[in-house]
PDB file of all heavy atoms in Angstrom:
ATOM      1  N   SER B 308      34.303  -6.106  -1.252  1.00 92.00           N
ATOM      2  CA  SER B 308      35.637  -6.582  -1.627  1.00 92.00           C
ATOM      3  C   SER B 308      36.523  -5.399  -1.984  1.00 92.00           C
ATOM      4  O   SER B 308      37.719  -5.387  -1.720  1.00 92.00           O
ATOM      5  CB  SER B 308      35.546  -7.555  -2.799  1.00 92.00           C
ATOM      6  OG  SER B 308      35.215  -6.866  -3.974  1.00 92.00           O
ATOM      7  N   ARG B 309      35.912  -4.391  -2.535  1.00 91.00           N
ATOM      8  CA  ARG B 309      36.690  -3.200  -2.866  1.00 91.00           C
ATOM      9  C   ARG B 309      37.074  -2.449  -1.591  1.00 91.00           C
ATOM     10  O   ARG B 309      38.197  -1.944  -1.464  1.00 91.00           O
ATOM     11  CB  ARG B 309      35.888  -2.293  -3.800  1.00 91.00           C
ATOM     12  CG  ARG B 309      36.712  -1.278  -4.547  1.00 91.00           C
ATOM     13  CD  ARG B 309      35.935  -0.668  -5.674  1.00 91.00           C
ATOM     14  NE  ARG B 309      35.882  -1.529  -6.839  1.00 91.00           N
ATOM     15  CZ  ARG B 309      36.827  -1.583  -7.763  1.00 91.00           C
ATOM     16  NH1 ARG B 309      37.898  -0.834  -7.670  1.00 91.00           N
ATOM     17  NH2 ARG B 309      36.714  -2.397  -8.794  1.00 91.00           N
ATOM     18  N   LEU B 310      36.158  -2.408  -0.654  1.00 91.00           N
ATOM     19  CA  LEU B 310      36.454  -1.737   0.611  1.00 91.00           C
ATOM     20  C   LEU B 310      37.550  -2.478   1.370  1.00 91.00           C
ATOM     21  O   LEU B 310      38.349  -1.885   2.085  1.00 91.00           O
ATOM     22  CB  LEU B 310      35.193  -1.657   1.477  1.00 91.00           C
ATOM     23  CG  LEU B 310      34.121  -0.686   0.989  1.00 91.00           C
ATOM     24  CD1 LEU B 310      32.875  -0.783   1.847  1.00 91.00           C
ATOM     25  CD2 LEU B 310      34.655   0.740   1.001  1.00 91.00           C
ATOM     26  N   ALA B 311      37.562  -3.778   1.191  1.00 87.00           N
ATOM     27  CA  ALA B 311      38.591  -4.568   1.872  1.00 87.00           C
ATOM     28  C   ALA B 311      39.954  -4.289   1.262  1.00 87.00           C
ATOM     29  O   ALA B 311      40.984  -4.660   1.811  1.00 87.00           O
ATOM     30  CB  ALA B 311      38.248  -6.046   1.776  1.00 87.00           C
ATOM     31  N   GLY B 312      39.937  -3.648   0.113  1.00 76.00           N
ATOM     32  CA  GLY B 312      41.197  -3.210  -0.476  1.00 76.00           C
ATOM     33  C   GLY B 312      41.993  -4.298  -1.138  1.00 76.00           C
ATOM     34  O   GLY B 312      43.137  -4.100  -1.514  1.00 76.00           O
ATOM     35  N   THR B 313      41.388  -5.456  -1.284  1.00 65.00           N
ATOM     36  CA  THR B 313      42.131  -6.558  -1.885  1.00 65.00           C
ATOM     37  C   THR B 313      41.862  -6.682  -3.381  1.00 65.00           C
ATOM     38  O   THR B 313      42.351  -7.585  -4.027  1.00 65.00           O
ATOM     39  CB  THR B 313      41.739  -7.887  -1.219  1.00 65.00           C
ATOM     40  OG1 THR B 313      40.331  -8.058  -1.369  1.00 65.00           O
ATOM     41  CG2 THR B 313      42.093  -7.872   0.252  1.00 65.00           C
ATOM     42  N   GLU B 314      41.073  -5.747  -3.859  1.00 61.00           N
ATOM     43  CA  GLU B 314      40.667  -5.877  -5.251  1.00 61.00           C
ATOM     44  C   GLU B 314      41.513  -5.041  -6.209  1.00 61.00           C
ATOM     45  O   GLU B 314      42.070  -4.024  -5.832  1.00 61.00           O
ATOM     46  CB  GLU B 314      39.207  -5.466  -5.391  1.00 61.00           C
ATOM     47  CG  GLU B 314      38.277  -6.448  -4.749  1.00 61.00           C
ATOM     48  CD  GLU B 314      38.490  -7.861  -5.268  1.00 61.00           C
ATOM     49  OE1 GLU B 314      38.460  -8.047  -6.498  1.00 61.00           O
ATOM     50  OE2 GLU B 314      38.715  -8.774  -4.446  1.00 61.00           O
ATOM     51  N   PRO B 315      41.571  -5.470  -7.428  1.00 62.00           N
ATOM     52  CA  PRO B 315      42.291  -4.704  -8.441  1.00 62.00           C
ATOM     53  C   PRO B 315      41.588  -3.380  -8.703  1.00 62.00           C
ATOM     54  O   PRO B 315      40.432  -3.200  -8.339  1.00 62.00           O
ATOM     55  CB  PRO B 315      42.214  -5.596  -9.676  1.00 62.00           C
ATOM     56  CG  PRO B 315      41.006  -6.443  -9.459  1.00 62.00           C
ATOM     57  CD  PRO B 315      40.962  -6.676  -7.977  1.00 62.00           C
ATOM     58  N   LEU B 316      42.249  -2.477  -9.316  1.00 70.00           N
ATOM     59  CA  LEU B 316      41.673  -1.159  -9.533  1.00 70.00           C
ATOM     60  C   LEU B 316      40.656  -1.118 -10.664  1.00 70.00           C
ATOM     61  O   LEU B 316      39.742  -0.331 -10.651  1.00 70.00           O
ATOM     62  CB  LEU B 316      42.788  -0.142  -9.816  1.00 70.00           C
ATOM     63  CG  LEU B 316      43.562   0.270  -8.571  1.00 70.00           C
ATOM     64  CD1 LEU B 316      44.687   1.207  -8.945  1.00 70.00           C
ATOM     65  CD2 LEU B 316      42.615   0.936  -7.565  1.00 70.00           C
ATOM     66  N   ARG B 317      40.846  -1.958 -11.628  1.00 81.00           N
ATOM     67  CA  ARG B 317      39.926  -1.884 -12.757  1.00 81.00           C
ATOM     68  C   ARG B 317      38.510  -2.258 -12.309  1.00 81.00           C
ATOM     69  O   ARG B 317      38.309  -3.032 -11.384  1.00 81.00           O
ATOM     70  CB  ARG B 317      40.386  -2.815 -13.887  1.00 81.00           C
ATOM     71  CG  ARG B 317      40.397  -4.271 -13.487  1.00 81.00           C
ATOM     72  CD  ARG B 317      40.799  -5.177 -14.651  1.00 81.00           C
ATOM     73  NE  ARG B 317      40.657  -6.568 -14.256  1.00 81.00           N
ATOM     74  CZ  ARG B 317      39.487  -7.178 -14.157  1.00 81.00           C
ATOM     75  NH1 ARG B 317      38.371  -6.532 -14.433  1.00 81.00           N
ATOM     76  NH2 ARG B 317      39.435  -8.453 -13.782  1.00 81.00           N
ATOM     77  N   THR B 318      37.543  -1.683 -12.951  1.00 84.00           N
ATOM     78  CA  THR B 318      36.167  -1.917 -12.551  1.00 84.00           C
ATOM     79  C   THR B 318      35.656  -3.230 -13.126  1.00 84.00           C
ATOM     80  O   THR B 318      36.144  -3.719 -14.126  1.00 84.00           O
ATOM     81  CB  THR B 318      35.257  -0.780 -13.042  1.00 84.00           C
ATOM     82  OG1 THR B 318      35.389  -0.673 -14.458  1.00 84.00           O
ATOM     83  CG2 THR B 318      35.662   0.524 -12.405  1.00 84.00           C
ATOM     84  N   ARG B 319      34.676  -3.738 -12.464  1.00 89.00           N
ATOM     85  CA  ARG B 319      34.124  -5.008 -12.892  1.00 89.00           C
ATOM     86  C   ARG B 319      32.654  -4.865 -13.243  1.00 89.00           C
ATOM     87  O   ARG B 319      31.976  -3.965 -12.767  1.00 89.00           O
ATOM     88  CB  ARG B 319      34.273  -6.037 -11.760  1.00 89.00           C
ATOM     89  CG  ARG B 319      35.728  -6.391 -11.487  1.00 89.00           C
ATOM     90  CD  ARG B 319      35.890  -6.926 -10.108  1.00 89.00           C
ATOM     91  NE  ARG B 319      35.553  -5.920  -9.104  1.00 89.00           N
ATOM     92  CZ  ARG B 319      35.491  -6.168  -7.809  1.00 89.00           C
ATOM     93  NH1 ARG B 319      35.727  -7.372  -7.368  1.00 89.00           N
ATOM     94  NH2 ARG B 319      35.194  -5.205  -6.970  1.00 89.00           N
ATOM     95  N   GLU B 320      32.205  -5.777 -14.037  1.00 91.00           N
ATOM     96  CA  GLU B 320      30.804  -5.754 -14.428  1.00 91.00           C
ATOM     97  C   GLU B 320      30.252  -7.161 -14.287  1.00 91.00           C
ATOM     98  O   GLU B 320      30.834  -8.113 -14.804  1.00 91.00           O
ATOM     99  CB  GLU B 320      30.688  -5.295 -15.887  1.00 91.00           C
ATOM    100  CG  GLU B 320      29.289  -5.341 -16.424  1.00 91.00           C
ATOM    101  CD  GLU B 320      29.211  -4.805 -17.852  1.00 91.00           C
ATOM    102  OE1 GLU B 320      29.551  -3.630 -18.045  1.00 91.00           O
ATOM    103  OE2 GLU B 320      28.837  -5.571 -18.751  1.00 91.00           O
ATOM    104  N   VAL B 321      29.154  -7.269 -13.553  1.00 94.00           N
ATOM    105  CA  VAL B 321      28.545  -8.579 -13.380  1.00 94.00           C
ATOM    106  C   VAL B 321      27.161  -8.548 -14.013  1.00 94.00           C
ATOM    107  O   VAL B 321      26.376  -7.629 -13.760  1.00 94.00           O
ATOM    108  CB  VAL B 321      28.414  -8.953 -11.889  1.00 94.00           C
ATOM    109  CG1 VAL B 321      27.704 -10.290 -11.733  1.00 94.00           C
ATOM    110  CG2 VAL B 321      29.789  -9.009 -11.241  1.00 94.00           C
ATOM    111  N   ILE B 322      26.902  -9.519 -14.835  1.00 95.00           N
ATOM    112  CA  ILE B 322      25.585  -9.587 -15.461  1.00 95.00           C
ATOM    113  C   ILE B 322      24.784 -10.717 -14.828  1.00 95.00           C
ATOM    114  O   ILE B 322      25.229 -11.862 -14.792  1.00 95.00           O
ATOM    115  CB  ILE B 322      25.721  -9.826 -16.975  1.00 95.00           C
ATOM    116  CG1 ILE B 322      26.483  -8.655 -17.598  1.00 95.00           C
ATOM    117  CG2 ILE B 322      24.353  -9.990 -17.617  1.00 95.00           C
ATOM    118  CD1 ILE B 322      26.714  -8.805 -19.078  1.00 95.00           C
ATOM    119  N   ILE B 323      23.634 -10.342 -14.307  1.00 95.00           N
ATOM    120  CA  ILE B 323      22.770 -11.337 -13.677  1.00 95.00           C
ATOM    121  C   ILE B 323      21.797 -11.850 -14.736  1.00 95.00           C
ATOM    122  O   ILE B 323      21.044 -11.083 -15.318  1.00 95.00           O
ATOM    123  CB  ILE B 323      21.962 -10.714 -12.528  1.00 95.00           C
ATOM    124  CG1 ILE B 323      22.895 -10.013 -11.528  1.00 95.00           C
ATOM    125  CG2 ILE B 323      21.107 -11.759 -11.846  1.00 95.00           C
ATOM    126  CD1 ILE B 323      23.734 -10.926 -10.685  1.00 95.00           C
ATOM    127  N   SER B 324      21.834 -13.144 -14.949  1.00 96.00           N
ATOM    128  CA  SER B 324      21.012 -13.663 -16.039  1.00 96.00           C
ATOM    129  C   SER B 324      19.569 -13.866 -15.612  1.00 96.00           C
ATOM    130  O   SER B 324      19.244 -13.965 -14.437  1.00 96.00           O
ATOM    131  CB  SER B 324      21.593 -14.965 -16.565  1.00 96.00           C
ATOM    132  OG  SER B 324      21.642 -15.894 -15.528  1.00 96.00           O
ATOM    133  N   THR B 325      18.715 -13.886 -16.596  1.00 96.00           N
ATOM    134  CA  THR B 325      17.281 -13.975 -16.371  1.00 96.00           C
ATOM    135  C   THR B 325      16.764 -15.266 -16.985  1.00 96.00           C
ATOM    136  O   THR B 325      17.473 -15.924 -17.744  1.00 96.00           O
ATOM    137  CB  THR B 325      16.577 -12.795 -17.051  1.00 96.00           C
ATOM    138  OG1 THR B 325      16.964 -12.770 -18.429  1.00 96.00           O
ATOM    139  CG2 THR B 325      17.003 -11.478 -16.421  1.00 96.00           C
ATOM    140  N   GLY B 326      15.550 -15.619 -16.661  1.00 96.00           N
ATOM    141  CA  GLY B 326      15.013 -16.864 -17.217  1.00 96.00           C
ATOM    142  C   GLY B 326      13.523 -16.792 -17.474  1.00 96.00           C
ATOM    143  O   GLY B 326      12.790 -16.115 -16.755  1.00 96.00           O
ATOM    144  N   ILE B 327      13.103 -17.474 -18.500  1.00 97.00           N
ATOM    145  CA  ILE B 327      11.682 -17.475 -18.831  1.00 97.00           C
ATOM    146  C   ILE B 327      10.879 -18.216 -17.772  1.00 97.00           C
ATOM    147  O   ILE B 327      11.277 -19.277 -17.315  1.00 97.00           O
ATOM    148  CB  ILE B 327      11.456 -18.159 -20.200  1.00 97.00           C
ATOM    149  CG1 ILE B 327      12.141 -17.340 -21.289  1.00 97.00           C
ATOM    150  CG2 ILE B 327       9.968 -18.322 -20.478  1.00 97.00           C
ATOM    151  CD1 ILE B 327      12.156 -18.037 -22.639  1.00 97.00           C
ATOM    152  N   VAL B 328       9.787 -17.599 -17.362  1.00 97.00           N
ATOM    153  CA  VAL B 328       8.867 -18.247 -16.437  1.00 97.00           C
ATOM    154  C   VAL B 328       7.580 -18.540 -17.205  1.00 97.00           C
ATOM    155  O   VAL B 328       6.786 -17.641 -17.447  1.00 97.00           O
ATOM    156  CB  VAL B 328       8.551 -17.330 -15.235  1.00 97.00           C
ATOM    157  CG1 VAL B 328       7.578 -18.005 -14.289  1.00 97.00           C
ATOM    158  CG2 VAL B 328       9.830 -16.952 -14.509  1.00 97.00           C
ATOM    159  N   PRO B 329       7.404 -19.769 -17.620  1.00 97.00           N
ATOM    160  CA  PRO B 329       6.252 -20.101 -18.461  1.00 97.00           C
ATOM    161  C   PRO B 329       4.956 -20.030 -17.664  1.00 97.00           C
ATOM    162  O   PRO B 329       4.907 -20.483 -16.529  1.00 97.00           O
ATOM    163  CB  PRO B 329       6.518 -21.550 -18.894  1.00 97.00           C
ATOM    164  CG  PRO B 329       7.891 -21.890 -18.408  1.00 97.00           C
ATOM    165  CD  PRO B 329       8.196 -20.955 -17.292  1.00 97.00           C
ATOM    166  N   GLY B 330       3.963 -19.434 -18.246  1.00 97.00           N
ATOM    167  CA  GLY B 330       2.663 -19.358 -17.593  1.00 97.00           C
ATOM    168  C   GLY B 330       1.593 -19.855 -18.539  1.00 97.00           C
ATOM    169  O   GLY B 330       1.874 -20.662 -19.435  1.00 97.00           O
ATOM    170  N   ASP B 331       0.383 -19.385 -18.370  1.00 97.00           N
ATOM    171  CA  ASP B 331      -0.701 -19.826 -19.234  1.00 97.00           C
ATOM    172  C   ASP B 331      -1.293 -18.669 -20.026  1.00 97.00           C
ATOM    173  O   ASP B 331      -2.409 -18.750 -20.505  1.00 97.00           O
ATOM    174  CB  ASP B 331      -1.793 -20.467 -18.372  1.00 97.00           C
ATOM    175  CG  ASP B 331      -1.225 -21.538 -17.471  1.00 97.00           C
ATOM    176  OD1 ASP B 331      -0.516 -22.427 -17.982  1.00 97.00           O
ATOM    177  OD2 ASP B 331      -1.459 -21.478 -16.248  1.00 97.00           O
ATOM    178  N   SER B 332      -0.540 -17.616 -20.122  1.00 97.00           N
ATOM    179  CA  SER B 332      -1.078 -16.421 -20.781  1.00 97.00           C
ATOM    180  C   SER B 332      -0.642 -16.339 -22.241  1.00 97.00           C
ATOM    181  O   SER B 332      -0.881 -15.342 -22.910  1.00 97.00           O
ATOM    182  CB  SER B 332      -0.619 -15.161 -20.034  1.00 97.00           C
ATOM    183  OG  SER B 332       0.787 -15.033 -20.109  1.00 97.00           O
TER     184      SER B 332
END
Side-chain angles (χ1 to χ4, degrees):
Chain B
S308 71
R309 198 166 281 276
L310 289 175
T313 58
E314 290 305 307
L316 284 177
R317 63 177 186 75
T318 57
R319 293 157 296 173
E320 175 177 299
V321 177
I322 299 178
I323 306 289
S324 59
T325 54
I327 296 171
V328 179
D331 308 309
S332 64

